Amino acid sequence: MFKKLLIANRGEIALRIHRACKEMGIKTVAIHSTADADAMHVRLADEAVCVGPASSKDSYLNVHAILSAAIITGAEAIHPGYGFLSENAKFAEMVEEHGITFVGPSSKHIKAMGDKITAKQVVEKAGIPVVPGSAGSVDSVDDAKKIAKEFGLPVLIKATAGGGGRGMQVVREMSELEELYKRARQEAGSYFSNDTVYIEKFLDDPRHIEIQVIADKHGNVCHLGERDCSLQRRNQKVLEESPSPVINQEVRDEIGMIVANAIKDIGYSSVGTVEFLYENGQFFFIEMNTRLQVEHPVTELVYNIDLVQEMIKIAYGDKLSITQDQIKPQGHAIEFRINAEDPETFMPSPGTILLHHAPGGYGVRVDSALYTGYSIPPYYDSMISKVIIFGKSRDICIKRAKSALSEYVIDGVKTSIPLHTRLLEDPTVLTGDYTIKWLEADFLANK
Ligand code: MV4
């Protein structure tokens, strides 16, 4: 196994990776910005290197400084966590070129999935059902009109370099198509420096369901069921759960096997997530995430597997220690993302934590880098903690979550805990009968 690994991230995920390494006997190197000198991930790591000033682009995205830190400390591997450089194909390639192992998929797979048109083509060829739409890029208004007529309105214009929802345009009337097509290309060009767009049938009221996969470098692939992430606001997930309230074992086995076979077919290795829209009992691929995800703990709890340790072992070249027939979901897990933000206005609320008292007990996991006295810097993501609840059933999970969230003390900044508490009181959340529109269009609009 690796003797030393550099963690190219901060916050709770840097701690999560550190803990996995510690258990495996791997020494860790933290990197940090000047704003994070007192951060928990720096304190826990065996070594720490300052890689630049507060701004992410000069520190956590500073490829040259991070590579230098790995070389100077003798780290044999780099784990990118999520966000930052985790899906940067160029970075993964540079890491490998320096004889360091990138803990993730090959740069070739990151690149293919990063281009959303290519991703759709690759997975469709491997047997995954995709959202109906243009076969590739749509390069003119005339093309756009043809596609819109073929598939019928409404359609959605998306940037091939996009993902996560930025720069999408819904077209509901033919009369607005030209203007929206031009706007989509213009926005894609300015956000992503790539104005290539494609068009899909707009699914009006789907759920967001994603399948977790794990694949080694020897062609062994397993799926670990689904996570339901339908509760989102402005493309930010609010809570995630596994299993989905609307997926039974038969449906899970079917889509899971389709995905696992496709992942084997395309030669992917590492952990990965295949994202679907789910409407009227049908799955439609939208994107694949080639990284460890924020919400990976719900899958860990339901499948009793340490995804971070597995990911590191896979990168080292180990074979998967499990086979699909040994994998059975057990119980239910829900993750609550706690952000330092106003629960009503969603404005960020950085500042000093006067008291941090995390909940605990049976079935309660808290992944966080907070501590009393810590100052949350204003430069980074506002997610400061994740409360992950596990129980025999969804019902037990919800009761346990209410109790845990009521115990959670984070003094000094506003947090999204009250939003979660309100959600857990809502009859729609209790039944699980909602789609991606519900949180914003219903819950937040009518309070
Ligand atoms: C869609 C869609 C409806 N139809 N594609 C948003 C983020 C990006 N990953 C893809 N997204 C969507 N793609 C088609 N053809 C609706 C969304 C969407 C969405 C998807 C998942 C979770 C929340 C969402 C919120 C708004 C829009």
Side-chain angles (χ1 to χ4, degrees):
M1 185 38 64
F2 303 118
K3 290 187 182 64
K4 198 188 271 192
L5 178 148
L6 182 142
I7 302 163
N9 216 301
R10 65 184 301 282
E12 68 85 19
I13 197 62
L15 258 61
R16 173 72 189 84
I17 297 162
H18 168 81
R19 287 168 176 155
C21 288
K22 186 120 183 163
E23 234 179 275
M24 297 169 84
I26 303 168
K27 293 269 184 252
T28 58
V29 180
I31 59 158
H32 65 92
S33 67
T34 52
D36 274 345
D38 295 327
M40 200 63 193
H41 76 280
V42 176
R43 295 192 185 185
L44 286 191
D46 296 295
E47 290 170 76
V49 181
C50 182
V51 291
S55 165
S56 293
K57 101 178 158 4
D58 298 320
S59 50
Y60 297 103
L61 294 170
N62 186 340
V63 168
H64 296 283
I66 294 168
L67 279 172
S68 301
I71 293 162
I72 289 164
T73 56
E76 304 153 72
I78 298 181
H79 197 308
Y82 52 69
F84 294 126
L85 296 166
S86 60
E87 291 178 293
N88 184 318
K90 194 89 197 111
F91 176 67
E93 193 183 335
M94 286 173 79
V95 170
E96 299 286 352
E97 277 169 5
H98 284 78
I100 300 167
T101 303
F102 181 78
V103 183
S106 72
S107 62
K108 187 187 81 180
H109 286 105
I110 298 174
K111 188 165 187 228
M113 296 305 171
D115 183 272
K116 304 307 169 190
I117 292 175
T118 307
K120 250 184 113 169
Q121 290 168 344
V122 167
V123 305
E124 185 173 29
K125 192 159 166 270
I128 292 181
V130 302
V131 186
S134 61
S137 66
V138 177
D139 301 323
S140 67
V141 177
D142 280 352
D143 260 10
K145 282 185 180 154
K146 243 182 263 161
I147 297 291
K149 282 192 190 118
E150 182 183 345
F151 293 96
L153 292 176
V155 293
L156 192 56
I157 310 176
K158 296 181 171 182
T160 195
R166 275 212 304 174
M168 303 191 317
Q169 300 294 338
V170 188
V171 183
R172 297 185 184 276
E173 304 288 341
M174 274 302 173
S175 59
E176 48 181 33
L177 186 138
E178 177 160 358
E179 191 189 327
L180 292 173
Y181 173 79
K182 287 177 180 162
R183 189 183 306 167
R185 287 198 63 164
Q186 191 271 323
E187 285 187 8
S190 65
Y191 290 154
F192 313 115
S193 312
N194 176 353
D195 71 354
T196 305
V197 298
Y198 62 109
I199 294 182
E200 286 181 346
K201 178 81 191 150
F202 177 68
L203 303 186
D204 195 49
D205 204 19
R207 294 180 78 104
H208 180 202
I209 294 180
E210 56 187 33
I211 306 289
Q212 176 73 54
V213 293
I214 180 161
D216 67 23
K217 293 179 177 176
H218 309 276
N220 304 301
V221 183
C222 292
H223 76 83
L224 295 167
E226 78 286 359
R227 292 183 289 261
D228 195 317
C229 311
S230 298
L231 291 176
Q232 311 210 4
R233 179 186 171 269
R234 301 210 181 154
N235 295 303
Q236 294 288 337
K237 292 166 184 164
V238 172
L239 64 81
E240 308 93 350
E241 64 184 311
S242 184
S244 165
V246 299
I247 302 295
N248 63 32
Q249 191 59 36
E250 192 191 341
V251 172
R252 176 173 307 118
D253 284 341
E254 192 189 338
I255 190 67
M257 285 319 295
I258 289 171
V259 169
N261 289 332
I263 289 300
K264 181 177 169 64
D265 188 64
I266 67 182
Y268 183 90
S269 82
S270 190
V271 302
T273 301
V274 181
E275 291 191 350
F276 292 94
L277 299 177
Y278 182 72
E279 196 173 68
N280 302 323
Q282 278 183 286
F283 286 92
F284 302 97
F285 171 90
I286 44 172
E287 289 168 23
M288 177 167 182
N289 300 320
T290 57
R291 62 169 190 276
L292 180 71
Q293 289 198 242
V294 172
E295 59 270 29
H296 75 275
V298 296
T299 301
E300 296 190 314
L301 293 175
V302 168
Y303 285 86
N304 191 25
I305 177 173
D306 187 320
L307 283 171
V308 181
Q309 290 197 17
E310 289 299 323
M311 189 180 180
I312 294 168
K313 287 189 215 160
I314 289 167
Y316 187 72
D318 287 359
K319 290 186 174 164
L320 287 188
S321 57
I322 37 161
T323 54
Q324 191 70 56
D325 56 300
Q326 296 166 337
I327 295 175
K328 284 274 168 305
Q330 222 172 59
H332 198 95
I334 310 180
E335 172 180 275
F336 300 85
R337 295 190 185 199
I338 314 295
N339 297 337
E341 68 187 16
D342 187 305
E344 309 266 328
T345 65
F346 299 96
M347 290 291 290
S349 174
T352 300
I353 304 293
L354 304 174
L355 179 62
H356 182 245
H357 179 83
Y362 188 85
V364 179
R365 166 175 167 183
V366 179
D367 280 16
S368 174
L370 290 185
Y371 59 87
T372 298
Y374 174 66
S375 286
I376 301 163
Y379 310 103
Y380 314 107
D381 195 276
S382 64
M383 195 184 72
I384 50 170
S385 183
K386 306 188 304 201
V387 176
I388 312 107
I389 305 292
F390 179 64
K392 275 205 172 99
S393 67
R394 190 170 188 269
D395 212 44
I396 290 169
C397 235
I398 288 173
K399 289 196 177 90
R400 188 165 288 154
K402 282 186 186 173
S403 171
L405 291 170
S406 75
E407 271 183 44
Y408 204 165
V409 180
I410 303 177
D411 281 346
V413 300
K414 292 176 184 170
T415 78
S416 41
I417 293 172
L419 172 71
H420 290 303
T421 305
R422 279 210 298 129
L423 276 169
L424 289 172
E425 302 283 332
D426 192 288
T428 303
V429 173
L430 301 192
T431 58
D433 185 18
Y434 45 76
T435 59
I436 60 173
K437 289 202 294 203
W438 179 77
L439 184 70
E440 276 180 89
D442 207 316
F443 181 79
L444 293 173
N446 304 319
K447 64 183 182 81

